Amino acid sequence: MGIYNGFAYIYDALMQDVNYPRWVDYIELLFRHYGVKPRQIVDLACGTGNVTILLKERGYEVIGIDQSEDMLCVAREKARSKGMDIPFIFQDMRYISLHHPVDAMTCICDGINYIPSEEELDLVFEGVYRYLNPKGIFVFDISSYYKLSSIVGNNTFVRTDEDICYIWQNYFDRRSQVCEMELSFFVKEGEYYRRFDEIHYQRAYEVEEIVERLEKNGFEDIGVYQPFTLKPPKKKSERIFFAAKKGENYSRS
């Protein structure tokens, strides 16, 4: 998809207000809620490794997967600076390939929204299911249909800091359910600012579409949650979490 590149190197500065420990606390809450104690976790669309590294710090064996080499370079350097040996693998999560199955997979902070169609979502869910151990768990989130269509879509956002500024223009197509995001960044380098541009596309999924695809690919005990709670999402929730388990005896026909 050709996304990120220069964006990878300013991503953490833009996301510095995100409380990643709280997100990992919530992942562990869902583990406990589902009665699982995973040892090995694959973090899909891991980006610069913020969640992956926190999971490693909490004692899990982790692998990070992303399709941006630039993001992975940043993640590897962060892990090395902490003395951690974490495999960060360059892969498209639609075509996961692992040496062995694992106990859990995560995909945090909009990774699923970058999958543009239900058919390709099937590829993701099929691969996750294949590489989960029996009773393994899959935890992920999405920016909701409401958020992408009504909050982000057809709106423009501007941020001006001393070192990084951006203009973020968005266009939502209700027919394709895709939000096109045009971002122009201005990054201070010495006395001047360097500009670079990115275009991202996020697919808005309804909850029912996600659940249907999970069920189709064999997942059981599917839960849909308001962030950081065990309650169902609200009508105008901007982020929605999902958790689902691989059946113990399920086999594909």
Side-chain angles (χ1 to χ4, degrees):
M1 298 180 193
I3 59 175
Y4 297 119
N5 302 316
F7 184 36
Y9 300 96
I10 63 170
Y11 181 81
D12 286 339
L14 296 173
M15 301 291 282
Q16 62 185 344
D17 294 334
V18 176
N19 188 344
Y20 288 109
R22 187 184 184 200
W23 287 53
V24 176
D25 287 345
Y26 183 57
I27 292 170
E28 293 192 307
L29 172 64
L30 290 173
F31 289 166
R32 293 193 297 273
H33 180 66
Y34 276 77
V36 297
K37 295 181 179 180
R39 183 171 61 89
Q40 298 174 319
I41 301 175
V42 168
D43 187 22
L44 300 173
C46 67
T48 61
N50 291 304
V51 169
T52 325
I53 289 169
L54 282 169
L55 288 169
K56 179 70 171 179
E57 288 178 341
R58 298 193 185 191
Y60 301 99
E61 296 178 21
V62 292
I63 297 171
I65 287 177
D66 204 279
Q67 63 167 354
S68 166
E69 278 285 16
D70 294 289
M71 286 286 199
L72 293 173
C73 283
V74 175
R76 292 182 188 114
E77 182 56 36
K78 286 161 61 176
R80 280 195 294 266
S81 71
K82 293 177 175 287
M84 295 179 177
D85 182 16
I86 299 175
F88 285 104
I89 301 172
F90 176 65
Q91 278 189 16
D92 185 327
M93 66 178 176
R94 291 170 296 186
Y95 309 104
I96 303 168
S97 179
L98 301 174
H99 294 303
H100 56 78
V102 295
D103 304 317
M105 292 201 195
T106 56
C107 186
I108 302 302
C109 201
D110 294 359
I112 293 297
N113 292 109
Y114 281 96
I115 304 302
S117 69
E118 292 185 350
E119 292 73 22
E120 289 169 288
L121 196 60
D122 279 337
L123 293 176
V124 176
F125 290 167
E126 180 183 1
V128 170
Y129 192 95
R130 182 187 312 119
Y131 285 107
L132 279 177
N133 283 317
K135 297 185 179 181
I137 189 170
F138 182 30
V139 175
F140 63 95
D141 70 87
I142 60 169
S143 281
S144 68
Y145 191 103
Y146 168 74
K147 176 183 176 180
L148 291 178
S149 65
S150 302
I151 303 298
V152 175
N154 302 316
N155 281 311
T156 299
F157 304 91
V158 177
R159 170 173 167 170
T160 56
D161 292 338
E162 182 177 348
D163 296 324
I164 302 173
C165 304
Y166 67 71
I167 302 170
W168 177 16
Q169 301 179 83
N170 307 290
Y171 311 93
F172 186 75
D173 184 335
R174 291 191 178 273
R175 185 176 63 176
S176 65
Q177 299 178 210
V178 171
C179 186
E180 178 181 332
M181 305 173 179
E182 297 181 1
L183 300 106
S184 295
F185 294 95
F186 303 86
V187 181
K188 191 173 184 180
E189 295 182 351
E191 298 181 7
Y192 302 98
Y193 285 82
R194 176 173 61 90
R195 172 178 174 169
F196 64 91
D197 300 292
E198 302 260 342
I199 298 180
H200 293 214
Y201 300 92
Q202 286 197 3
R203 167 71 186 268
Y205 286 100
E206 297 281 10
V207 167
E208 294 77 16
E209 294 177 285
I210 299 285
V211 170
E212 179 182 350
R213 252 47 204 189
L214 287 168
E215 290 176 340
K216 176 185 175 184
N217 285 282
F219 285 95
E220 302 175 355
D221 298 334
I222 299 167
V224 184
Y225 304 103
Q226 175 75 10
F228 313 119
T229 76
L230 297 176
K231 299 177 181 178
K234 300 175 183 177
K235 184 177 181 180
K236 292 187 176 181
S237 294
E238 295 185 27
R239 184 166 302 283
I240 300 172
F241 274 84
F242 296 81
K245 289 181 71 174
K246 179 173 182 173
E248 188 172 6
N249 301 307
Y250 180 87
S251 62
R252 297 184 185 279
S253 57

